[in-house]
Amino acid sequence: MSFLIGFLPILFFIALYVGSGIYFTIMGVDNSFYQLSPLTAIIPAIVLGWFLYKGKTEERMHAFLDGVRHRDIITMCIIFLLAGAFSEVTKSIGSVDSTVNMALSFAPSNFLLIGLFLISAFISTAIGTSMGTIATVAPIAVGLAAQGAFPTVLGVATVISGAMFGDNLSIVSDTTIAAVLSQEANMKKKLKLNAKVAIIASILTILVLIYNSGTSIEIDSHGYSVLLVFPYIILIVLAGIGVNVFGALSISLVCAFIVGKIINDYSIFQFSKDIVKGFSSMEEIMILSLMVGGLSGLSGKASSELAVHLGEWVSKHGSVKMAQFIIAKMVSIFDILLANNTIAIIFTGEIARNIAKKHHLPPHYSAVWLSTFSCVFQGIIPYGAQVLLASSIAEVSPLSIIPQVYYCYILAVVSILYISFAKVKKDI
């Protein structure tokens, strides 16, 4: 089938990236799946796509550039930059530390696990990065565990659970940005459906954590300012009322500057430096998005043809529910292979969008399942960046952490049940 040849460059990229991870794992290298940058791995795949593309050199170049400058890819990159700037500015003015300290001061001493989960969930939703959340909160979890509040492994696993909650739900998360834009979905509708599923899963997670709650201990009190939490609240409120993501991020960024000026005499020059630093933090994912766009352009109609074949199969053997399960399964497999939920969404986004259109599935549904199932597996694969970071901070084995990342397992079950039993109003 012609579409399989069109997918060879993408399969080649996966083989290089996954193969290097397996090789370095056998060699005993730490962070084995992160030794070869995806930016490096995708270059040979683009070269292969270039040679497989039928046409003259100029036509090949046009196909590549058409993919790079696709509206969704460029929009995604700009939002990545704004999200990076907001994250860096709020970190610089002290919003992250203040939020953690405020949350800990209100957390009941006998329910610290729940406090850790809620703190991690709020911070990751606010700043849009699970890695940043784990780097900030995991050391606190390790410190509390050392005082006998709960087992160390359970503490850091709970932090990962909260971090993946926000990674899936935050409007400034690259996961959400990629899912919404690749599906041409409405952000407000995506958040509404996503929140419904995520909140049910989080309530069930809290019940599990109550059962596992440990000893009551005294927590050292640290200072905080409610005003420093304000930029996060503004961002969440603006997203909730349906303000365009560009507007929400821009307003929240200005708000963060004003708060920093009031609290810490934050200068306009430092503000500009932090914005640039935030832009730089998004360099890799932004460049990779452009490269993937170019690779998709060279792959021609491969993804559309695959979507047609999958769509025809669903029409014969299933329904709109089956279409949702196929989308969930595709992104799950890609995330297991690539160990990066954003890249998994970028690769499966076009196929998922075409399947959704063929079966009149509203785009916010496919966006939700792309972000949800990619985050589910990202939080429980032992070679994923989140688990590796948490295990290195806690100095425990990644394999000991993954059975206790309860939220990811519960989220998967709740999502499967929702797809199975909830009625979908088709997008005619």
Side-chain angles (χ1 to χ4, degrees):
M1 287 183 257
S2 60
F3 71 85
L4 290 179
I5 295 181
F7 264 99
L8 279 178
I10 295 174
L11 295 174
F12 186 42
F13 167 74
I14 293 173
L16 286 174
Y17 191 64
V18 177
S20 69
I22 294 172
Y23 170 77
F24 286 115
T25 298
I26 295 171
M27 297 298 292
V29 177
D30 292 336
N31 297 331
S32 52
F33 276 79
Y34 297 88
Q35 296 300 311
L36 177 66
S37 168
L39 284 178
T40 304
I42 203 170
I43 292 174
I46 291 173
V47 172
L48 178 60
W50 181 277
F51 283 109
L52 289 177
Y53 188 87
K54 295 179 181 179
K56 298 179 180 178
T57 300
E58 186 175 314
E59 292 173 334
R60 294 173 182 177
M61 179 59 73
H62 286 167
F64 178 78
L65 292 178
D66 284 344
V68 169
R69 67 191 178 203
H70 190 280
R71 181 184 63 184
D72 292 343
I73 295 291
I74 298 300
T75 302
M76 193 185 304
C77 289
I78 295 173
I79 295 175
F80 283 153
L81 291 176
L82 286 173
F86 177 74
S87 179
E88 189 60 41
V89 168
T90 50
K91 178 182 176 182
S92 180
I93 65 176
S95 291
V96 177
D97 293 336
S98 194
T99 300
V100 171
N101 293 336
M102 184 178 74
L104 282 175
S105 69
F106 286 104
S109 58
N110 56 331
F111 291 116
L112 290 175
L113 273 175
I114 298 171
L116 278 177
F117 175 71
L118 294 176
I119 291 166
S120 302
F122 179 80
I123 291 175
S124 59
T125 302
I127 67 178
T129 164
S130 54
M131 293 294 286
T133 301
I134 293 168
T136 302
V137 186
I140 297 172
V142 173
L144 294 173
Q147 297 179 53
F150 39 71
T152 301
V153 171
L154 179 57
V156 294
T158 301
V159 172
I160 295 173
S161 289
M164 298 318 296
F165 173 94
D167 200 341
N168 176 30
L169 201 58
S170 173
I171 71 160
V172 291
S173 164
D174 47 8
T175 307
T176 294
I177 294 167
V180 170
L181 293 178
S182 68
Q183 302 308 293
E184 300 176 352
N186 179 282
M187 177 69 82
K188 185 177 180 180
K189 289 182 179 179
K190 188 268 186 188
L191 289 177
K192 186 177 179 180
L193 175 59
N194 210 156
K196 187 186 298 183
V197 175
I199 289 172
I200 293 172
S202 63
I203 291 172
L204 294 175
T205 302
I206 289 171
L207 294 176
V208 173
L209 294 177
I210 288 174
Y211 178 78
N212 287 278
S213 290
T215 310
S216 175
I217 64 170
E218 292 296 323
I219 306 174
D220 295 333
S221 179
H222 297 280
Y224 63 87
S225 168
V226 176
L227 191 58
L228 284 171
V229 185
F230 193 64
Y232 297 146
I233 296 172
I234 286 290
L235 180 63
I236 294 171
V237 169
L238 290 175
I241 63 177
V243 174
N244 178 278
V245 66
F246 287 105
L249 278 169
S250 300
I251 293 170
S252 301
L253 194 58
V254 173
C255 177
F257 169 71
I258 294 171
V259 168
K261 188 71 175 176
I262 295 171
I263 300 292
N264 300 320
D265 195 24
Y266 188 57
S267 72
I268 188 69
F269 300 106
Q270 187 60 46
F271 180 56
S272 64
K273 289 179 182 178
D274 288 334
I275 287 176
V276 173
K277 190 174 180 182
F279 285 175
S280 298
S281 70
M282 291 291 178
E283 258 178 23
E284 184 174 24
I285 188 62
M286 188 179 72
I287 295 173
L288 184 62
S289 298
L290 294 171
M291 293 284 202
V292 169
L295 183 58
S296 297
L298 288 172
S299 297
K301 299 179 180 179
S303 60
S304 298
E305 290 179 16
L306 178 58
V308 169
H309 284 279
L310 288 173
E312 289 174 351
W313 187 90
V314 173
S315 298
K316 293 177 182 178
H317 301 89
S319 61
V320 69
K321 294 185 188 298
M322 183 63 73
Q324 292 175 81
F325 279 121
I326 287 178
I327 291 170
K329 187 175 182 179
M330 278 196 310
V331 78
S332 299
I333 292 171
F334 269 78
D335 187 72
I336 292 169
L337 290 172
L338 299 171
N340 187 302
N341 47 350
T342 305
I343 300 175
I345 291 170
I346 292 171
F347 270 115
T348 56
E350 186 177 353
I351 302 171
R353 184 175 71 246
N354 289 333
I355 291 174
K357 284 182 178 179
K358 184 174 180 61
H359 293 276
H360 306 291
L361 178 70
H364 63 279
Y365 274 82
S366 54
V368 167
W369 305 136
L370 284 175
S371 65
T372 296
F373 283 92
S374 65
C375 284
V376 163
F377 284 93
Q378 189 63 29
I380 59 176
I381 51 176
Y383 48 88
Q386 289 77 2
V387 174
L388 290 175
L389 176 59
S391 66
S392 65
I393 291 172
E395 297 182 348
V396 296
S397 167
L399 294 176
S400 68
I401 293 176
I402 56 176
Q404 300 187 56
V405 187
Y406 298 124
Y407 174 75
C408 288
Y409 298 107
I410 294 171
L411 179 62
V413 172
V414 172
S415 299
I416 290 170
L417 290 174
Y418 192 94
I419 293 173
S420 300
F421 298 107
K423 291 183 178 180
V424 177
K425 186 177 180 181
K426 290 189 177 183
D427 196 9
I428 306 297

